[in-house]
Amino acid sequence: MNKRVALISIIVSDTAQIGRLNEYLHEASGYIIGRMGIPYRERKINIISVAVDAPQDLISALSGKIGKLEGVSSRTTYSDIITAPDEGGEDQHA
């Protein structure tokens, strides 16, 4: 399955959901390139960016699960870079 590079942008306004959010990210940890979290204390929200290189189905499913959490919003931006599993290194998730 072809893989894509994408950025998942997450805003958390209900900190009770952080445990579940981290579970979802842990399940996809083999595809995560990097992650940055910014606590915005004045607004009582957390802003998280997660860069991934994964099959599009997995990216869509992950973003969808995250976005269904109460008090959490998620949007995904895809790059134009699409690679076959054997390009750019071994596909250890096949």
Side-chain angles (χ1 to χ4, degrees), residues 29-93:
S29 64
Y31 297 101
I32 293 176
I33 301 166
R35 172 180 169 173
M36 177 180 64
I38 303 167
Y40 190 4
R41 290 179 186 90
E42 289 103 20
R43 299 282 186 172
K44 296 185 172 129
I45 61 172
N46 292 291
I47 303 163
I48 304 167
S49 296
V50 181
V52 296
D53 186 358
Q56 182 154 351
D57 292 353
L58 185 137
I59 297 168
S60 296
L62 176 61
S63 183
K65 286 190 331 188
I66 291 169
K68 288 181 182 177
L69 293 172
E70 189 73 29
V72 179
S73 63
S74 172
R75 298 290 182 270
T76 304
T77 305
Y78 293 92
S79 76
D80 293 336
I81 300 170
I82 301 173
T83 58
D86 58 349
E87 290 181 41
E90 263 183 62
D91 186 11
Q92 56 188 328
H93 307 287

